[in-house]
Amino acid sequence: RAGPCDSSFKSKMKEKIKNTHFESSCCHNNCRAAKTMSGSSSSSICLVALTLLLSQQFTADAFSIKSVEQTTCSPTAPVAAETTTCTPANNEHKERPLLQNFGKQIQQQIVNSKSGAHRFGMEGAYTSDETFPCLDMQCNTGGEKKDNNNDDDSIFSSRREIRDAFNESSGTSSKSNNDNSDDYIPGIHGRSSGSGCSIIRLSGEDAASIRGLTEYANEFFEQVDYDDTNKKSMKDVGVFRIDQFVYAGFDENVNDEGKMQFLDTRILPYRTCNNYQEPTLIPLEVGELVGETSLSDAHKGINTLMDIGYQITSAVLEMQSDSANKLIDDGTRLEEDNQSMIGSDVSNSYHRLIRYINSQPSTDEDTAAFNSHVDSSFLTLIPMPKLPGLEIWSPCLKNGKDGQDGEWVRPVKPDCHDEEDNSAYIIAMAGEFLQLTSNGKVPTCIHRVLPPMPGRISAPLFLRPRRGDDALLDVDLDLGQTYNKDGLYNEPGLLDECDSMHLWSVHGILVN
């Protein structure tokens, strides 16, 4: 992001890397190629390398990119389909059969969901209002993360209400008085046992920040389409690897399928310059493309999503702030007094812009832009798009955890009788890490995107665990409140098997 020290910062870093060679990735036909910084023009330099070189401790290895011959990791694969044979960075080479089985069971649930009903708009169908609880939330003020229980008469949802909204409700919904009936009295998720999805309503400045994020998304793609120079600039950035399973950049044709374009951005947390603190959005070329005003909108919107996601995750898991700060990557740094910046400081959580192209509306999964999948995150938070496409699998109340009965439901804006309502709405979907750490109380949200109208833009944030050395899971300390409460999707012994692991290393095991 352009700031008061930006020009001198870039000049200093360009001199440092004059003859530095590092590997990058371009998305021309999804190829990966080594690039040399020496002699590059300012328009084609990968500016993220300049940022990371601010640290005197930086070496070329801190931002090296493996060639396609060295790894099967695909930087352009959708997050839900991120398959790899890479060894997890923090894997202690210990057998973890329960964790591997956990991943297999989720995959089976995805398969089962494909036989579910699609009755959107039909009489008797599950509706968004009955299936997805709507929570009223606000960002914490002052930027300080607090243990805000908010269990008073506030207009905002309490931590208990947040937990109830995401927890499966099979144990809280009672069966009909007719013993011969399979009918259940609808609970907080209606006729569903819970999908792991809720809708968040924001107001005031928080709502304005989400609208600004949407405007930034539109501005980015307008600038990419504006002329060939802009398009080439973003193609030159390509998709580059920062660390294992950590990518950023622009892919103009995801998986060469002609369906989607991605921009993945990550945050390099605050650096100090003349008493002015600013986060850096990577790749920096994005800021140069959209301009200062739009980039400022992006920062505000992303910060709002990060903050809301942090609050939801810590509330659902009943975490104290020390544990939440240690495990949840909300784009901040834990060691504020450490001014050096290296690749490991780049956020594991990331923001994605998606533009759907060359598609025609359909209800057939075979033509889906995204097939049924789950996300490798604590939460995925999506500003509610104007155009439909997203559908959520909502299992039936009478199901067990492997049941196939249920319906696909489209989350929509809740009914509001106030014509002057200026609220903004976020779709919050639980990922694999929330099901794991909640001891099976929160189902990971199975979802898909059926072909929307061409030009639909989505701007999800994927809130992930931190990947630093200190992000070790201590089950008793970090999850003590939830550890002894089994949910519908509980697997006995699973959390014990994950105890003392670097939480993010779970991802490498699940994708193998």
Side-chain angles (χ1 to χ4, degrees):
R1 176 178 175 180
C5 64
D6 224 274
S7 58
S8 61
F9 169 69
K10 290 179 184 177
S11 298
K12 184 188 302 182
M13 294 306 105
K14 285 180 183 179
E15 182 63 27
K16 275 191 173 187
I17 64 165
K18 185 174 181 181
N19 294 308
T20 300
H21 180 274
F22 70 99
E23 292 178 279
S24 185
S25 167
C26 65
C27 54
H28 305 169
N29 300 317
N30 287 340
C31 69
R32 301 165 69 84
K35 293 184 179 180
T36 296
M37 300 301 293
S38 178
S40 297
S41 66
S42 60
S43 63
S44 63
I45 275 182
C46 185
L47 294 178
V48 65
L50 304 183
T51 307
L52 298 177
L53 276 163
L54 181 62
S55 169
Q56 296 292 336
Q57 302 171 11
F58 178 85
T59 66
D61 290 338
F63 196 66
S64 65
I65 308 298
K66 293 183 179 180
S67 69
V68 71
E69 291 80 17
Q70 294 172 301
T71 177
T72 58
C73 294
S74 171
T76 57
V79 64
E82 193 173 12
T83 57
T84 177
T85 59
C86 295
T87 301
N90 293 311
N91 185 11
E92 290 82 10
H93 304 290
K94 177 182 176 181
E95 291 295 327
R96 303 187 189 276
L98 295 178
L99 188 55
Q100 293 172 338
N101 190 56
F102 169 77
K104 292 176 181 177
Q105 289 186 347
I106 288 178
Q107 290 305 311
Q108 185 58 52
Q109 292 166 18
I110 293 173
V111 171
N112 293 343
S113 73
K114 295 180 180 181
S115 62
H118 181 282
R119 302 195 297 159
F120 183 76
M122 298 174 63
E123 184 177 355
Y126 292 7
T127 66
S128 177
D129 283 343
E130 72 165 313
T131 309
F132 310 128
C134 184
L135 301 168
D136 289 284
M137 298 186 67
Q138 66 173 345
C139 286
N140 283 323
T141 58
E144 182 181 356
K145 304 299 184 186
K146 303 176 182 178
D147 294 323
N148 181 16
N149 289 311
N150 197 28
D151 285 324
D152 53 20
D153 295 329
S154 169
I155 62 171
F156 298 107
S157 301
S158 68
R159 286 170 64 92
R160 177 179 293 277
E161 289 170 331
I162 293 171
R163 286 195 297 275
D164 290 344
F166 283 90
N167 285 350
E168 54 85 14
S169 53
S170 64
T172 60
S173 297
S174 57
K175 196 170 183 179
S176 163
N177 291 328
N178 183 354
D179 292 336
N180 296 321
S181 172
D182 288 332
D183 293 336
Y184 284 74
I185 299 173
I188 190 173
H189 303 110
R191 290 164 286 175
S192 172
S193 61
S195 61
C197 175
S198 294
I199 294 175
I200 314 301
R201 179 166 43 217
L202 302 176
S203 58
E205 293 183 0
D206 296 335
S209 71
I210 297 302
R211 287 191 288 271
L213 184 62
T214 301
E215 292 170 2
Y216 149 75
N218 293 330
E219 177 68 16
F220 172 79
F221 286 111
E222 286 177 4
Q223 290 299 322
V224 167
D225 294 341
Y226 181 73
D227 59 32
D228 291 339
T229 302
N230 287 351
K231 184 174 294 186
K232 183 179 184 302
S233 172
M234 292 311 302
K235 286 176 65 175
D236 286 346
V237 171
V239 178
F240 49 90
R241 179 182 184 273
I242 297 171
D243 201 351
Q244 194 165 45
F245 307 119
V246 181
Y247 298 93
F250 178 66
D251 190 342
E252 66 167 354
N253 185 8
V254 176
N255 294 336
D256 285 337
E257 294 178 341
K259 293 181 178 180
M260 293 174 289
Q261 296 175 328
F262 279 179
L263 171 70
D264 284 355
T265 55
R266 295 179 185 264
I267 292 175
L268 185 62
Y270 295 113
R271 61 184 172 88
T272 302
C273 177
N274 298 331
N275 296 320
Y276 176 79
Q277 289 190 327
E278 57 177 10
T280 301
L281 200 65
I282 298 171
L284 295 183
E285 288 86 349
V286 174
E288 296 185 338
L289 185 69
V290 301
E292 176 67 14
T293 299
S294 186
L295 188 63
S296 177
D297 290 339
H299 278 291
K300 292 175 183 177
I302 292 172
N303 287 341
T304 295
L305 294 179
M306 289 280 197
D307 187 288
I308 295 299
Y310 176 99
Q311 290 186 56
I312 293 174
T313 303
S314 60
V316 168
L317 299 178
E318 301 182 64
M319 278 183 171
Q320 298 300 314
S321 59
D322 286 347
S323 294
N325 290 336
K326 178 182 72 171
L327 296 176
I328 303 171
D329 187 346
D330 62 348
T332 61
R333 301 178 73 190
L334 294 181
E335 299 180 6
E336 295 297 333
D337 57 337
N338 181 6
Q339 295 303 313
S340 65
M341 288 184 289
I342 56 177
S344 60
D345 289 324
V346 177
S347 67
N348 198 28
S349 299
Y350 66 102
H351 184 247
R352 169 174 285 174
L353 299 184
I354 308 172
R355 178 164 66 170
Y356 297 90
I357 54 178
N358 301 326
S359 61
Q360 293 298 324
S362 170
T363 59
D364 184 359
E365 175 145 338
D366 290 339
T367 63
F370 266 127
N371 290 322
S372 304
H373 66 278
V374 299
D375 293 336
S376 188
S377 60
F378 279 123
L379 282 172
T380 301
L381 302 106
I382 313 172
M384 188 170 286
K386 293 182 179 179
L387 298 176
L390 177 67
E391 295 190 345
I392 308 295
W393 170 243
S394 302
C396 179
L397 258 177
K398 66 181 180 181
N399 281 351
K401 62 183 178 183
D402 298 322
Q404 297 183 11
D405 289 337
E407 296 190 13
W408 289 97
V409 183
R410 295 180 185 175
V412 297
K413 178 181 176 181
D415 289 335
C416 181
H417 302 293
D418 184 358
E419 295 181 357
E420 297 183 358
D421 178 35
N422 289 319
S423 300
Y425 295 86
I426 298 169
I427 303 166
M429 304 185 301
E432 293 173 311
F433 282 94
L434 204 54
Q435 178 172 325
L436 173 67
T437 51
S438 69
N439 213 17
K441 289 187 292 299
V442 178
T444 185
C445 182
I446 300 172
H447 55 287
R448 65 186 183 185
V449 181
L450 294 184
M453 293 295 292
R456 179 182 185 268
I457 295 175
S458 182
L461 176 96
F462 299 88
L463 186 74
R464 288 180 154 183
R466 291 189 186 272
R467 56 190 176 90
D469 292 338
D470 295 331
L472 287 168
L473 177 63
D474 185 324
V475 171
D476 288 333
L477 182 63
D478 301 325
L479 306 175
Q481 296 296 317
T482 61
Y483 178 55
N484 295 318
K485 301 175 184 178
D486 297 344
L488 175 64
Y489 301 92
N490 166 255
E491 294 297 328
L494 176 59
L495 277 180
D496 291 329
E497 189 177 86
C498 297
D499 196 23
S500 300
M501 286 184 69
H502 286 89
L503 189 55
W504 177 238
S505 67
V506 168
H507 174 73
I509 296 173
L510 293 180
V511 298
N512 277 333

